[in-house]
Every structure is written in C-alpha cells, then in structure tokens.
Amino acid sequence: MTSLFDRFEAAFMPNYGVPPVALARGEGSVVWGVDGAEYLDMFGGIAVSSLGHAHPALVEAVSTQVATLAHTSNLLLHEREVELAEKLLSLLGAPGKVFLANSGTEANEAALKLAIKYGRQTGRSYFVAAEMGFHGRTLGALSLTGKPSIRDQFGPFPLDVRFVPYGDADALAAAVDGDCAAVFLEPTQGEAGVVPPPDGYMARAREITAAAGALLVADEIQSAIGRTGHWFAHQADGYLPDILTLAKGLGGGLPIGACVGFGPAATIFEKGDHGSTFGGNPVSCAAALAVLGNVDLAHVQTVAAELRDGLEAISHPLLKGVRGRGLWLAAVLTEDRAAQVQAAAQRAGFLVNAVQPDAIRLAPPLVITPAQVRSFLTAFPPILDEAADG
Ligand SMILES: *Cc1c(COP(=O)(O)O)cnc(C)c1O
C-alpha cells in the first residue's frame, strides 16, 4: 500500500518537502499520528493552536456557527465579526479600528496598503524593516521580509524597503527620516529563531517613528493572543503602535488575521480601498471569540515560568541557553544540530520545531499542563544526548 507520505509527495508541490509526521487527531496538548503514535505537541502548529486540540469551547463555537451561518461576504455583516472587533479593541484598551483577513500575510498586506496610502498623503516614499524579520510570503509582505533565503529569489520588489539590524535602536534612528512612511517590526523575531530585542527597543522604535512622523507597524502575528503571557507583547513593552497585525493564535487553528489601526491610522482606508471575500468569516470569528474567551493568562505565566526555569536548569554540552518570553521560547544549541534534536524528540514522543539550524522553537498550546511541561523537561536531556551522538 502506498504510504500517505508517498501520496503527499506525488500530489503536492515540493515547497514544504514531505513532513516527518502524519497527524490524525489531537486532544489538549496531545496529538496522535495516523500510525497511532502519541506526541506531546510542543510547538502548537507554529504558535497557532492556542487552546490546544479539540478544545470543547472551540468545537462548540465553530460547530454552532457553521450550522447557523458559515459565510456572508463583506457585502453583508454578521454578529460574530462585530463581537470580535469589539473584543479585540477592548483587550487592546485603545481607540482603534479593525480589518479582518484570513492569514498573517494578508493582515500585513492590509498594513502595507495603509502605510502606502499614508506615504502618498504625506509625501513619504520608503519603508524600513528588520534584517532576518518575517512578515509573510505574499509579495507585499515578502518585500518587507528580511530573510534572504525566502526573499532574494523573488525580488526585486516594487517598494523601497530598507533593512536595519534587528535590536539596534541607533541603526533604526539613522534609517528613519522624514521620507519614511512606516517601520515594520516584530516585537520578538519568531521565524528568525524567537529572538527578543534588547529591553526598551520597541519603545525606542516608537519614539523614533513618532519623532519622524512615520507609522510604527507591530507585527504581532506570532507574539500576541497570550503567547508571551500578555494578550499582546506590546502591552508588556509599554508602547502603542500605529498599526498592529494579528493572525496565528487568534483563531486557535481556524484561519483568521487582523489588522488594527490606532488613532489616525484607524481611518486611512476609505470605502473601497481594501477587501477580502472570506475576511471576517463567521466561523473563523466564532473560533477567535472562543479563543479570546478561554485563554488564561495567569496559567500561561505559571507554566511558562516552569518551562523556562526547567530548561535553564538543564546543563548539557549541546544546550547553550534559552531565549524568548512566555510560552514562546527557543532552546539555543551550541552546534547546528536542531534537525537532529527535532528528530530525536519525535522518536521520544515530542513535537518540537527546528526553527534555525541551532535553535529549537517551543510554542506549545497555551493550555499545556504543568505535568506535561515536566514530562518534556525530563525527556529533553536524553533527547539532547541522542541528537549529540546521532
Ligand atoms: C507567521 C507569520 C506571518 C505570516 O503569517 P501567515 O498566516 O503564514 O501568512 C507574518 N508575520 C509573522 C511575525 C509571523 O510569525
């Protein structure tokens, strides 16, 4: 019989390669492969499965909504999208307006169009983003993406985007003048390997952009919705961007993205300027409402501290250290053996992500239990042993 892996390879474009595990189902932070193998999900589908798998509130919200009204288009409105936009704004605690999309890259496309329009209105012509940053794969978001491996072969792009080293506030200040329309930054770089900036960097970015009259776009697609132990990373960093983008954890596994504008940035778009057939889909909005109603920040902070302290207490020649915040950490290795660690973890029943050659990303469901965290901490040293030998 042809395996699912062979069928995948035969039917799909090679852009993902063939993934190492075929999943069948999940419950909480545990998932099972089609072969029955059990895994503890330590990366949550790239920081997406905030409520874990098959959370009763998510199942109920989505099932009820799909059985009631699955789609309206944006020519008609529905209750869930209004509730969701209101809920986001209340969690944000600042006056703003929301645009709903279906993914992260689309949320950033909306932000970029806002920035382009703002630039035209104010005579500003260029954009600034960070080296190694990740903002998505569609052409606008890709033009802001600083990872050469995914960017270079599709450029050049029609926008003037200037890249600065991430975390260097002086370099940012030097790059932003009165011609700059917007600066796009992640509050911690996710795809670069969960790399937090020095303390105060984002607040400095806020000062620099405000002084130059440029918009600050915080790409919180990976960092928000409780991931860092706060609803939004910027809230802990003490600043408010002009534009905020969200996706990943917002829908708990259902596709949704959001672009929020604050202050004057809330009303840059006029009628007809932007749109999406599926954006704000009732089912995805119902899922997001279930997520926002069930993420427990105190729980995230407790288990995150346990995970971080436990990792920091491990002394192993392959483990250099831990970085990141909340339930969003990278175990940094002393050698480029992340692929071997990921494979050894899989054999031991743990799904982790080799986000960089020397970094393992951990972004488990926000509902992971202390006992599950401890089981990972117990298993991790032997996993490192195996990866060091193999
Ligand atoms: C994942 C991610 C994106 C892109 O999101 P998609 O839903 O994959 O399009 C953009 N920015 C950041 C910071 C991300 O982590």
Side-chain angles (χ1 to χ4, degrees), residues 46 102-108 133-138 141 145 186-191 219-223 245 247-248 256 328 361:
I46 320 186
N102 313 288
S103 65
T105 202
E106 285 172 85
N108 281 336
F134 182 77
H135 299 291
R137 302 275 196 165
T138 53
T145 288
E186 296 162 85
T188 280
Q189 288 190 320
E191 298 310 300
D219 179 345
E220 289 226 36
I221 285 164
Q222 196 160 154
S223 59
T245 54
K248 290 205 166 80
I256 188 166
W328 193 34
R361 172 168 47 189

Side-chain angles (χ1 to χ4, degrees), residues 7-376:
R7 286 164 58 198
F8 182 99
E9 185 166 26
F12 281 103
M13 293 185 185
N15 54 304
Y16 295 118
V18 180
V21 176
L23 289 182
R25 67 190 176 90
E27 200 179 309
S29 299
V30 178
V31 289
W32 287 269
V34 292
D35 58 357
E38 183 177 311
Y39 304 95
L40 184 62
D41 179 1
M42 289 300 293
F43 81 102
I46 320 186
V48 164
S49 303
S50 14
L51 298 184
H53 304 274
H55 190 288
L58 190 72
V59 171
E60 159 65 21
V62 167
S63 309
T64 302
Q65 190 58 49
V66 78
T68 307
L69 183 69
H71 177 76
T72 61
S73 88
N74 287 295
L75 300 177
L76 304 164
L77 72 75
H78 60 89
E79 219 174 334
R80 296 292 92 72
E81 65 182 349
V82 178
E83 290 168 352
L84 176 59
E86 288 174 349
K87 177 75 183 175
L88 283 172
L89 292 171
S90 96
L91 292 172
L92 284 161
K97 287 183 187 285
V98 177
F99 171 79
L100 292 175
N102 313 288
S103 65
T105 202
E106 285 172 85
N108 281 336
E109 293 292 329
L112 183 55
K113 283 178 72 173
L114 289 171
I116 289 171
K117 192 162 180 201
Y118 173 76
R120 300 252 161 102
Q121 288 169 344
T122 57
R124 294 160 182 272
S125 58
Y126 72 92
F127 305 86
V128 171
E131 288 168 8
M132 293 307 287
F134 182 77
H135 299 291
R137 302 275 196 165
T138 53
L139 285 174
L142 187 59
S143 67
L144 298 162
T145 288
K147 276 180 107 173
S149 59
I150 61 176
R151 168 197 167 79
D152 284 358
Q153 61 172 322
F154 296 104
F157 303 96
L159 295 174
D160 181 1
V161 182
R162 305 181 186 174
F163 290 94
V164 293
Y166 185 69
D168 181 342
D170 294 335
L172 183 65
V176 177
D177 65 25
D179 284 336
C180 177
V183 174
F184 288 74
L185 289 171
E186 296 162 85
T188 280
Q189 288 190 320
E191 298 310 300
V194 194
V195 182
D199 282 348
Y201 175 68
M202 292 302 291
R204 268 293 299 287
R206 172 70 287 182
E207 287 164 16
I208 291 163
T209 47
L215 298 176
L216 177 62
V217 183
D219 179 345
E220 289 226 36
I221 285 164
Q222 196 160 154
S223 59
I225 320 299
R227 184 54 52 195
T228 65
H230 307 270
W231 281 115
F232 308 94
H234 72 264
Q235 293 177 324
D237 290 342
Y239 70 96
L240 186 69
D242 298 292
I243 297 172
L244 172 73
T245 54
L246 306 169
K248 290 205 166 80
L250 178 58
L254 275 284
I256 188 166
C259 174
V260 185
F262 300 103
T267 48
I268 294 172
F269 279 156
E270 293 161 277
K271 189 173 179 197
D273 280 351
H274 197 45
S276 162
T277 300
F278 295 118
N281 168 274
V283 181
S284 292
C285 289
L289 284 163
V291 168
L292 297 176
N294 286 278
V295 166
D296 178 348
L297 295 180
H299 174 81
V300 174
Q301 288 161 10
T302 305
V303 286
E306 184 151 4
L307 179 58
R308 187 187 191 102
D309 293 350
L311 286 169
E312 280 174 348
I314 294 172
S315 162
H316 192 282
L318 190 53
L319 186 62
K320 189 154 135 193
V322 186
R323 67 184 176 220
R325 24 187 187 170
L327 279 178
W328 193 34
L329 300 174
V332 185
L333 308 178
T334 51
E335 287 171 52
D336 284 357
R337 297 193 80 82
Q340 288 88 338
V341 171
Q342 181 183 307
Q346 185 194 313
R347 287 191 292 273
F350 297 89
L351 299 181
V352 301
N353 167 234
V355 65
Q356 287 288 322
D358 68 344
I360 294 293
R361 172 168 47 189
L362 302 173
L366 304 180
V367 297
I368 192 168
T369 66
Q372 287 169 329
V373 165
R374 285 194 287 273
S375 76
F376 175 73

